[in-house]
């Protein structure tokens, strides 16, 4: 990718700012949660709030760093687990959400979101319109070769976060807890 600083296409700046604002709404919603509340689920067998958050933050590094080759600044090690409790998940691809023996606190999740946002922000600040449409071919977690673009990754990760953020908002509301997630 280009090494220019502040090359964000002007038309995308409000879009990117809204993404960061939505992240802060999510973090403000989980900040007051106890470890017990972070373990709330919509139903038995479904992911808890901390797992949804771990999947969101870890997904950022997967798509931006693993698939696009951006620098993860060493943050990938944050999500490494020593074993998995989910059948069929390979340890090398496992993240927080795959080890239910170690629920994550609101503080851990918030730290992970801030660190992974640094990686995203660096990309968004550097990427030009041309960068967003440049094809990148990588091998995914299932060994399949995929051709993607940074623009597709931005859209995909944002949709992923909207999806899981909505799940978290619903869990909070069902349990009578406030949320700023819109």
């Amino acid at each position: 990718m280009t090494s220019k600083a502040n090359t964000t296409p002007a038309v995308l700046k409000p879009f990117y700012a809204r993404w960061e604002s939505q992240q802060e709404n999510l973090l403000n919603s989980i900040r007051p949660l106890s470890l017990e509340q972070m373990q709330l689920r919509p139903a038995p067998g479904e992911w808890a709030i901390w797992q949804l958050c771990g999947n969101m933050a870890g997904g950022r590094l997967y798509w931006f760093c693993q698939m696009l080759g951006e620098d993860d600044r060493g943050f990938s090690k944050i999500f490494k687990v020593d074993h998995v409790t989910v059948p069929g998940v390979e340890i090398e691809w496992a993240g927080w959400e795959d080890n239910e023996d170690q629920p994550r606190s609101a503080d851990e999740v918030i730290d992970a979101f801030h660190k992974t946002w640094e990686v995203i922000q660096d990309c968004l600040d550097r990427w030009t319109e041309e960068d967003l449409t440049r094809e990148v071919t990588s091998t995914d977690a299932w060994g399949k070769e995929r051709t993607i673009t940074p623009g597709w990754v931005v859209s995909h990760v944002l949709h992923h976060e909207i999806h899981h953020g909505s799940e978290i908002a619903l869990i909070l509301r069902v349990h009578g807890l406030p949320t700023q997630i819109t």
Side-chain angles (χ1 to χ4, degrees):
M1 302 278 167
T2 184
S3 62
K4 299 177 199 172
N6 291 322
T7 56
T8 303
V11 69
L12 293 177
K13 288 181 182 183
F15 174 78
Y16 294 159
R18 182 67 184 124
W19 185 3
E20 185 174 22
S21 173
Q22 186 65 12
Q23 172 184 270
E24 287 308 310
N25 288 342
L26 170 69
L27 300 183
N28 288 337
S29 295
I30 66 168
R31 186 170 279 111
L33 299 181
S34 67
L35 185 57
E36 181 178 90
Q37 290 169 322
M38 289 292 287
Q39 295 178 69
L40 294 173
R41 304 168 183 271
E46 298 294 325
W47 275 349
I49 292 171
W50 70 269
Q51 289 172 295
L52 293 165
C53 290
N55 181 262
M56 291 164 68
R60 290 172 166 189
L61 294 183
Y62 173 76
W63 286 105
F64 279 81
C65 303
Q66 179 70 30
M67 295 301 289
L68 290 179
E70 292 293 336
D71 181 9
D72 75 355
R73 301 174 184 211
F75 298 149
S76 292
K77 66 180 177 262
I78 296 169
F79 298 98
K80 296 293 182 197
V81 293
D82 60 2
H83 70 281
V84 297
T85 58
V86 178
V89 175
E90 301 287 334
I91 191 71
E92 64 267 16
W93 292 106
W96 285 353
E97 67 274 18
D98 302 311
N99 180 358
E100 291 193 337
D101 293 340
Q102 190 175 358
R104 303 299 171 151
S105 69
D107 287 342
E108 287 175 287
V109 166
I110 290 166
D111 182 57
F113 269 92
H114 284 151
K115 286 178 176 169
T116 57
W117 184 255
E118 285 179 32
V119 173
I120 292 173
Q121 188 68 61
D122 177 59
C123 294
L124 300 181
D125 286 347
R126 272 188 299 107
W127 288 346
T128 65
E129 189 172 344
E130 183 179 291
D131 290 329
L132 291 169
T133 59
R134 186 178 58 80
E135 290 187 347
V136 176
T137 301
S138 298
T139 303
D140 69 16
W142 298 270
K144 181 182 173 190
E145 192 171 275
R146 295 184 62 166
T147 300
I148 56 177
T149 65
W152 181 90
V153 168
V154 167
S155 175
H156 180 73
V157 171
L158 183 57
H159 286 116
H160 181 247
E161 293 186 11
I162 290 168
H163 174 79
H164 285 323
S166 296
E167 289 178 292
I168 292 167
L170 181 60
I171 294 168
L172 293 172
R173 287 183 183 110
V174 165
H175 291 281
L177 296 167
T179 179
Q180 294 180 24
I181 304 167
T182 57

